[in-house]
Amino acid sequence: MAKSKTNDNWNSGTFFNRLRYSLWRVVRQIKKEFQLLKIDKMNLVIALMMPPAIIMLFAFMSTSASVTIPVKVSVISYDSNTYVNQNNYTETTTWDNYTSKYLDAVKESELLELIEFYDASESEDEYAMETARNEMRDGNIECIIVISVEFTELLSTGYPGIIELIPDSSDAAAIQDKLNAVQDSIKIFVEENDLDPEYVLQEYEEFSIPSKYNFRYNYNMTILLPFMTFGISFVLSILVVVQEKPIPRLLLTPAQKSEILLSKFIVYSIVLALQVFLVLTVAIANGLYIAGSVIDLYLALYMLGFAGVSLGMFISTVSNTKTEANQLFFAFFILIILLSGMFVPIDAMPDYLQTIAYMLPLSHGAPIIKGILSKGKSFIGFDFFWLLGISSVLIILSFLVINRKRYEV
Amino acid sequence: MSTGNLKDIVVNVENLEVTFDEKKIIRNVSFNVRRGEIIGFFGISGAGKTTIIRVLTCQISKKNWTGNVNVTNLSPGSKKNYAKILSNIGYVPQLEELNLYYDLTPLKNVEVFASCYGMKKKEAKNIAMELFSILDIPEDTWNKPLKKMSGGEKKRVSMAIGLIHKPDILFLDEPTTGVDAAKRYDVLSYLKKLNRRLGTTMFLITHDMEAALIVDRAAILRDGKLLEFDSNSNLITSLPNNGLVARFSIENLNEEKINIIKRFPNAPNIKTIRVGNETLEVLMDDFEKNLSKLIQFMMENGLKINAMSRDVAAFRRYFQLRIQEEEEKERLIRIQQDAIEEVEI
Ligand SMILES: Nc1ncnc2c1ncn2[C@@H]1O[C@H](COP(=O)(O)OP(=O)(O)OP(=O)(O)O)[C@@H](O)[C@H]1O
Ligand SMILES: [Mg+2]
């Protein structure tokens, strides 16, 4: 047998020659990964076991007492506090200022937190509504309470006053809480001022989904899409490194640890692209309302899934055995889900937990997805860059860890 | 093979010392290996066989060893030589289940490992088929998952993978351990066959004394020291009277009776080795002349000989005697040291 030509100039001399061979090996390792993926159905079984785990978590979560956090509101008042008589001239009355009395009731209610009061009565603040809506888009307030022009007048003359309510409806499940909170303030107001309790609360929903879309489905999707994308990409990658027994033997060839790891990252990123595509296709086919663009949604979910791959790969490189990887996965997964804001709003948690929660990837999932689905935002924003940051750090750590790891045949 | 010039030296080790956690594991080991030789590394557990091979195969950082080591004229002391050395050598690890992709077919396994050497799929397949036929791996198993093969077949696939890139040197870690007795000789004869056909230099780490049958030279290690490094026949002929042995079956054999034999006055260099419950082998100078005298001496001392035969020592005996001798030497040194210490006190 003649000596193989391929390894004569193997790794010789120049940087580019070495790089060429390195890339060649990565490409071939990628092929291998796909072959292993085809055969190894174990990972998929684990992915299937995820839903029962989530149900368990639901049961676990519902036993803990619920925490009430005040709804953040801004109040805009158009109350003119004036009276137009039949002779068509205006005259200031000495009526009580019911707007300020209602504000007192808002402040008193434990269910509401007054963020801003806009007095728009004398065109003093004509952009009040626009400002408040922007505040709501940015998530600083959850509800706008509008006091009508004749509020004081109507009340003073024995008619029902009109309070208009504009809740942020992108978080559909929380709408009822918002209504209840505002009702509480009205109750206080009515009781303290000894008024006739006939008040009409008018409701106008900002960022709500069009009526032809299924409300429940769409609401659940804002949580399920990020959760599933992250969760499955995470669980699929936790065993990738640790279960490949022949790695030590591969390392007795010119193959490098970093080439092996890189090929795994590439393969699982490709798998993720497909996974997100399928999830989105099915979601849209079932009537997903997307205020923003599909591409934004795809990229946001991909980023979230990639954070899952990065964390999974990291766990896979630091673990020495499959059991260790599974345990680490379980610990991380519970933590990530508990602190994701899915069950307990992050703002209701103690400060130190909030810090941890905001560091974890899934906490940034629902905000991005909600922003795209209901508010038509772009995927680029703080949450996206945070996810990108977490992923980069995890990738760098994985390469550092694997390079320090000892493999022995 | 004995006339190898410098160019033919594929492995050169001078004054190798390996230290782990300030403990010396290998002490001052030197040897050369010529192209095409089969070398056996023998030694009881913990002797340092694996450690030496791991230095040669770039698995131990230079921090832990000193000395001059060259593998295919490249030093594993420098990280930048790793890739090149690793492409010049092949390694067949001890356990198949940890070192092959059980769910992939033999040919896919070959493809994966060959690709690490930059080989194209087709080239790898051609070489693999050639190796598989030399190794008598049945053709109908080539495309079935590896896990369906027998243990011996897996071992042979592993050997083929070690040779896929036509390395200069093939290292094999305990190739016959875990293979059943009948198949053990098969593995060894396949190795010999590959060595003849491909001219590959081979290193066998082994506990299996049978392996001495195929090696050109045997290295005997004990406690990190290289005691011997020579051909099987040279080692045996270095024994008293070229390794002729008398095998006695003695009734109620015990230490006391062995000590009597050791006192046989005509051959002060007499060596005994107990090989069974009632079986003892004896080596001595002037074997032919002394044998009848020894039998007489034994009978005079009340030993009852049930049977007797003569033979030439096999490598196994040499190995046992050499280790015994070393232990004896160390025991004497220890006694001397104790004596000196006592005097000092
Ligand atoms: N990484 C290490 N750190 C510390 N000590 C080590 C290390 N590797 C090997 N040793 C020690 O070196 C000695 C020789 O080990 P080695 O594995 O080379 O023996 P061996 O001859 O291959 O034995 P066996 O036949 O059991 O495989 C042993 O005492 C072992 O404990
Ligand atoms: Mg060993």
Side-chain angles (χ1 to χ4, degrees), chain A residues 406 408, chain B residues 20-21 23 25-26 43-52 54 94 173-174 205 207:
Chain A
R406 289 195 55 81
E408 284 176 6
Chain B
F20 281 122
D21 313 318
K23 197 176 144 228
I25 304 294
I26 300 297
I44 48 174
S45 215
K49 306 179 292 288
T50 305
T51 306
I52 294 178
R54 285 180 53 208
Q94 186 178 346
D173 194 353
E174 315 219 343
I205 301 179
H207 285 123

Side-chain angles (χ1 to χ4, degrees), chain A residues 205 207-216 218 287 289:
Chain A
E205 294 182 354
F207 308 130
S208 65
I209 60 161
S211 56
K212 68 176 175 129
Y213 288 91
N214 181 319
F215 164 80
R216 276 280 140 219
N218 274 281
Y289 169 69

Side-chain angles (χ1 to χ4, degrees), chain A residues 50-97:
Chain A
M50 232 172 46
I54 298 161
I55 292 164
M56 247 170 58
L57 267 169
F58 261 102
F60 178 62
M61 289 301 295
S62 50
T63 57
S64 68
S66 69
V67 185
T68 47
I69 34 161
V71 176
K72 296 192 185 89
V73 294
S74 285
V75 177
I76 303 175
S77 168
Y78 293 99
D79 190 1
S80 59
N81 196 17
T82 56
Y83 164 65
V84 181
N85 74 5
Q86 274 125 355
N87 301 326
N88 266 346
Y89 62 88
T90 54
E91 107 192 2
T92 312
T93 66
T94 52
W95 293 331
D96 288 337
N97 184 340

Side-chain angles (χ1 to χ4, degrees), chain B residues 255-268 270 272 294 297 301:
Chain B
E255 275 308 304
E256 200 187 314
K257 288 180 180 163
I258 294 172
N259 281 333
I260 293 172
I261 297 169
K262 278 186 183 160
R263 287 198 295 270
F264 177 53
N266 297 45
I270 192 164
T272 60
L294 176 64
F297 176 76
N301 284 282

